[in-house]
Amino acid sequence: MSLKVAVIGAGLGGLTAAAALYARGLDVTVHERGTALREQGVGMHLGPNGTRLLERLGLGPRLAELAVRPEALEVRAFHNGARVAEQEMGEAWERQFGAPYLTVHRGDLHRMLAALLPQERVRTGKELLRYEEGPGGVLLEFADGTTSVADVLVGADGVHSAVRRAVAGADAPVYSGNSALRGLVDAADVPSLDPRRMYMFAGPTSRVLCYPVSGGRQFTYVVVTPAAEGDAESWTSATDRADLGSVLAGWAPEVRELVGAAGEVRRWALYDRAPLERWSTPRVTLLGDAAHPMLPHHGQGANQAVEDAVALALCLAGAAEDARGVAAALARYEEFRRPHTTRVQLGSRTGRPAPREDGRPGGVKEAAEDVGWILSHDVEAAFAAPAPAAA
């Protein structure tokens, strides 16, 4: 008999955790409040730190088909589109970091992860109302009147996590002062942009990041711009396309071309939370946004959830199947992951690279160096490495 693990939330982190646990022989079930599996959003970045783990789960061929390995990041002047800097990526980064840097549509990755699990392992329409933790396990109560019992409860239910509130108490979101306007355009509608490359247009107060997804057939755009704090801590709020046009009025022709091609525009109010002092109790733990919601400036939110998922599976796969064994495994998971994710989370608050040696603001080279330690991280290798000797 193996440990019975209940995962709350069928987003990218929850499905990755379930796939990693299932691959290691654990009895895992995902409980999703929605009545169907779907992933809202547009594109996302998969750093080598996340890609290498997804490839080991068997997703390499599907990623090669549907994701894009950008050849380079071009930084262009906001007013006329002149290229001011370029960071080589593609094959060079794959050699440097040992796995590719990819851009992918969130929906594509979500479907890939769901396909790693038997259908009966994912239960929809299961909104968690409460749970009761005891020495013998965790009793889960759902809004539809049903209950379930598990040895371990994993909260992968996002920034508004009910499990997070139960484990760590209520906390206030921290507003960054910015919102992100996001959407998709067909690559054919923005012919001045090469679907093998990423682009950044940096303005005085706003910036535009544009990168290919869906095998290069589409571009995701993200416009980070100052905005007054609203009422909703949401990343899927609809907004008017006129807002996009207003923010980018007078920008380079390539940017205006993108605005003209834009359809539905979503506004993401950029909040995070202060790092938690603890993630776990003897039978309950957190991962992904439920544990460490972070701003997108390093493109690491989903990647850190993937790392969490694999680390948790490694800890639980070797756990003794009793209360003491479960508690020790969850404590090890938190001790292993929390310092790393705290550093990434806090670094993501600015996204600004370290200054150059002459004191001038850093550019794309310094930005790449700043995140190199994140991209090179191999959570499985780090888990297997011997613990440092005590001083």
Side-chain angles (χ1 to χ4, degrees):
M1 192 174 79
S2 63
L3 286 172
K4 186 174 183 180
V5 183
V7 177
I8 305 300
L12 298 179
L15 288 180
T16 306
L21 290 162
Y22 183 74
R24 289 167 173 80
L26 280 83
D27 181 4
V28 60
T29 302
V30 182
H31 302 275
E32 164 59 37
R33 66 181 296 177
T35 56
L37 282 187
R38 65 191 183 97
E39 176 66 25
Q40 294 186 4
V42 285
M44 55 171 285
H45 302 260
L46 279 176
N49 56 311
T51 302
R52 75 177 96 255
L53 303 178
L54 295 173
E55 288 180 340
R56 291 169 191 165
L57 284 173
L59 294 184
R62 292 291 283 158
L63 287 169
E65 177 185 355
L66 294 173
V68 178
R69 187 183 71 172
E71 294 177 354
L73 167 65
E74 291 188 23
V75 179
R76 296 191 176 192
F78 82 99
H79 61 291
N80 63 6
R83 188 170 64 183
V84 297
E86 179 174 316
Q87 170 65 53
E88 185 181 10
M89 298 172 69
E91 188 176 317
W93 273 27
E94 188 164 352
R95 287 195 305 269
Q96 179 178 352
F97 297 115
Y101 190 107
L102 302 176
T103 52
V104 64
H105 193 292
R106 294 183 70 93
D108 288 339
L109 180 57
H110 193 258
R111 286 185 288 273
M112 293 180 209
L113 290 166
L116 295 176
L117 294 164
Q119 289 186 354
E120 65 272 14
R121 294 283 171 176
V122 182
R123 299 175 181 173
T124 56
K126 294 292 181 181
E127 180 182 357
L128 181 69
L129 285 184
R130 63 185 65 86
Y131 69 85
E132 183 176 337
E133 180 179 359
V138 185
L139 173 66
L140 290 72
E141 299 181 17
F142 299 100
D144 64 0
T146 61
T147 61
S148 182
V149 176
D151 298 306
V152 183
L153 173 62
V154 180
D157 45 344
V159 68
H160 299 293
S161 168
V163 184
R164 176 189 173 103
R165 289 194 299 274
V167 168
D171 59 353
V174 179
Y175 186 52
S176 68
N178 291 308
S179 281
L181 305 176
R182 308 191 303 175
L184 290 166
V185 297
D186 289 339
D189 292 335
V190 283
S192 59
L193 300 181
D194 185 341
R196 297 168 297 180
R197 289 177 162 246
M198 295 171 54
Y199 298 89
M200 179 180 286
F201 297 81
T205 60
S206 303
R207 64 182 181 273
V208 177
L209 181 64
C210 188
Y211 55 90
V213 296
S214 305
R217 294 183 299 277
Q218 294 181 303
F219 277 102
T220 282
Y221 63 85
V222 182
V223 181
V224 177
T225 188
E229 185 172 6
D231 296 328
E233 185 186 3
S234 170
W235 57 281
T236 57
S237 299
T239 191
D240 197 307
R241 196 175 76 166
D243 292 344
L244 184 68
S246 176
V247 169
L248 300 177
W251 283 50
E254 300 93 327
V255 177
R256 300 303 304 168
E257 185 177 77
L258 186 151
V259 172
E264 183 180 62
V265 182
R266 294 279 175 175
R267 181 182 292 275
W268 178 16
L270 298 183
Y271 290 86
D272 70 354
R273 306 288 178 105
L276 292 178
E277 294 184 2
R278 71 166 189 161
W279 288 1
S280 307
T281 64
R283 288 193 178 269
V284 181
T285 196
L286 306 171
L287 67 76
D289 283 350
H292 43 70
M294 59 186 66
L295 297 176
H297 303 311
H298 284 337
Q300 276 294 311
N303 292 278
Q304 293 304 305
V306 169
E307 287 189 3
D308 288 347
V310 172
L312 179 62
L314 290 168
C315 290
L316 289 176
E321 295 174 10
D322 57 20
R324 182 174 296 180
V326 170
L330 297 186
R332 185 181 186 191
Y333 161 67
E334 179 177 336
E335 180 182 5
F336 176 56
R337 287 297 296 158
R338 194 160 58 84
H340 185 86
T341 59
T342 295
R343 185 180 173 195
V344 177
Q345 184 182 12
L346 293 177
S348 295
R349 282 187 163 176
T350 66
R352 289 192 294 270
R356 296 183 172 98
E357 291 183 2
D358 61 7
R360 292 184 298 145
V364 291
K365 178 178 180 292
E366 288 75 20
E369 291 171 351
D370 264 10
V371 299
W373 66 273
I374 302 174
L375 303 183
S376 62
H377 188 64
D378 184 333
V379 75
E380 291 182 314
F383 185 84

